[in-house]
Amino acid sequence: MIVSTQKLFDHAYGKYAVGAYNINNAEQIMGLFRGNMDSKAPFIIQLSKGARSYTDTRLLEAMIRAAPDAIFAVHLDHGDEKTCYDCIDSGFYSSVMIDASHESFDENIAATRRVVDRAHAKGISVEAELGKLGGVEEHVSVDEADAKLTDPKQVKEFVERSGCDSLACAIGTSHGAYKFSGGQGLHFDVIEQIARLMPRFPLVMHGSSSVPQDEVTRINAAGGKLKGAKGVDEAQITKASTMGVTKVNIDTDGRLVWCRVHRECFRDDPENFDLRPAGKVFMAEYAKYIVHKNKVLGSAGQLDSVRAFINK
Ligand code: G3H
Ligand code: 13P
Ligand code: ZN
């Protein structure tokens, strides 16, 4: 059942975080639903602009729409204004993210406000971003040196003037498989200050992949070249999940599982050219990863409680 993103946040806030997993194809959708059903967790399935143009969006979305008995929200990840409007008008999305964090403070607010007005008229909620994460996103690349942590003093004004429903904050993470080049971790002081100023307002952590070292080692042993890949410490994710970080975005880890499985499968069976053996292993392994991650987030086992909360 597709549900409101805000309802999921209302249930989770301060107790656990909802996993927001990026998907691009059928195998990811299958593994994601299997993993969340196995761990009895609510979740967010999110599509980036790149994912929407990778395959035929209508076919991809139809697959999600027909998904079996799960409780999840559908979210546009890192949208520009035009893509937000397309998703709002499609009637399929629970929430959209307008990412105008590369603009000035006032222009970020103005763009977010325009999207909020269109989205709220249709009962859809909006995630905005304040601050700059390091790493690479589809339409903008930010060097770690240029990354800028969210200034807690700006948050209240930003939220009030823009009307956004949740906020992606720069708290030390970056997108991709090479995080924390300076060795630092999450900035809990920033999370704490924002949560104190904005009680019960859902915060979003982007760049949350933990880049499991076992995956990196296996990828490299099977011919990959991922030197120095590193992610977020899982104990820090668990801690942040009880401090107001209510949505945790994960894409890279799923790609690493995909990469490891396919490299190993073709290395170990070089005569095979059928896509299904590797696809089968990937779906099972990705589901296993999701089960583990939902434990880290605290969302595992929350399904019945969320269902009752939504139906009451
Ligand atoms: O934050 C970006 C997400 O990982 C989506 O990546 O734009 O390559 O689909 P993508
Ligand atoms: P990772 O690259 O750490 O998986 O972050 C994904 C993300 O933030 C999607 O919006
Ligand atoms: Zn992101």
Side-chain angles (χ1 to χ4, degrees):
M1 182 173 62
I2 298 178
V3 301
S4 129
T5 306
Q6 286 315 108
K7 283 257 179 204
L8 293 185
F9 290 165
D10 286 346
H11 186 264
Y13 187 93
K15 293 183 296 205
Y16 65 92
V18 183
Y21 300 102
N22 288 71
I23 58 94
N24 290 269
N25 68 10
E27 284 81 1
Q28 282 182 309
I29 294 174
M30 304 294 163
L32 181 61
F33 277 87
R34 195 192 296 177
N36 283 296
M37 288 312 283
D38 286 353
S39 64
K40 297 194 183 317
F43 64 102
I44 295 170
I45 186 164
Q46 56 184 12
L47 290 84
S48 69
K49 211 177 144 197
R52 295 180 86 248
S53 61
Y54 172 60
T55 52
D56 186 315
T57 319
R58 291 164 306 177
L59 295 181
L60 198 65
E61 292 179 353
M63 222 182 293
I64 298 168
R65 198 173 275 133
D69 191 33
I71 293 204
F72 62 101
V74 183
H75 179 76
L76 168 69
D77 188 31
H78 291 288
D80 51 26
E81 268 191 79
K82 184 186 172 313
T83 314
C84 283
Y85 298 145
D86 286 351
C87 291
I88 291 165
D89 292 343
S90 78
F92 176 57
Y93 288 75
S94 316
S95 48
V96 295
M97 175 190 189
I98 169 70
D99 182 355
S101 57
H102 47 284
E103 304 284 0
S104 69
F105 184 69
D106 284 329
E107 278 160 22
N108 188 354
I109 289 176
T112 303
R113 183 83 245 176
R114 287 192 291 275
V115 172
V116 164
D117 288 343
R118 289 263 293 255
H120 284 185
K122 296 211 167 175
I124 293 164
S125 57
V126 177
E127 174 184 329
E129 179 168 329
L130 182 62
K132 276 190 200 142
L133 274 80
V136 179
E137 287 166 25
E138 190 175 39
H139 58 292
V140 52
S141 163
V142 186
D143 289 332
E144 295 238 348
D146 271 348
K148 205 161 124 310
L149 294 183
T150 302
D151 178 354
K153 290 194 293 299
Q154 289 188 324
V155 171
K156 202 163 192 298
E157 181 186 350
F158 184 88
V159 170
E160 280 172 7
R161 284 175 58 196
S162 71
C164 68
D165 305 286
S166 61
L167 189 67
C169 300
I171 48 178
T173 59
S174 57
H175 291 106
Y178 301 89
K179 307 184 198 294
F180 305 118
S181 55
Q184 78 283 21
L186 294 191
H187 290 257
F188 288 106
D189 53 329
V190 177
I191 304 176
E192 209 165 24
Q193 286 177 58
I194 298 173
R196 202 174 330 114
L197 293 164
M198 302 292 297
R200 292 203 66 79
F201 190 79
L203 308 178
V204 180
M205 182 162 79
H206 283 246
S208 311
S209 279
S210 47
V211 187
Q213 290 305 294
D214 176 52
E215 296 293 352
V216 174
T217 305
R218 288 173 71 175
I219 288 170
N220 288 342
K225 285 194 175 136
L226 302 182
K227 202 162 163 278
K230 195 159 94 186
V232 187
D233 182 300
E234 290 192 325
Q236 297 204 344
I237 298 179
T238 303
K239 183 173 171 188
S241 301
T242 60
M243 293 175 66
V245 171
T246 317
K247 175 172 178 273
V248 166
N249 282 18
I250 295 171
D251 185 355
T252 296
D253 282 354
R255 297 180 188 204
L256 291 173
V257 175
W258 184 93
C259 179
R260 181 260 296 173
V261 166
H262 287 78
R263 279 196 178 278
E264 288 185 349
C265 281
F266 289 108
R267 176 198 63 189
D268 296 344
D269 190 3
E271 282 160 15
N272 172 53
F273 55 86
D274 184 355
L275 61 100
R276 288 170 299 192
K280 251 182 163 165
V281 178
F282 169 71
M283 289 185 274
E285 289 293 288
Y286 187 44
K288 225 160 81 185
Y289 167 83
I290 298 291
V291 168
H292 165 75
K293 192 52 62 171
N294 289 340
K295 276 193 201 133
V296 172
L297 300 174
S299 61
Q302 296 286 348
L303 200 60
D304 291 341
S305 171
V306 175
R307 200 189 305 278
F309 179 76
I310 285 171
N311 291 332
K312 93 175 170 217

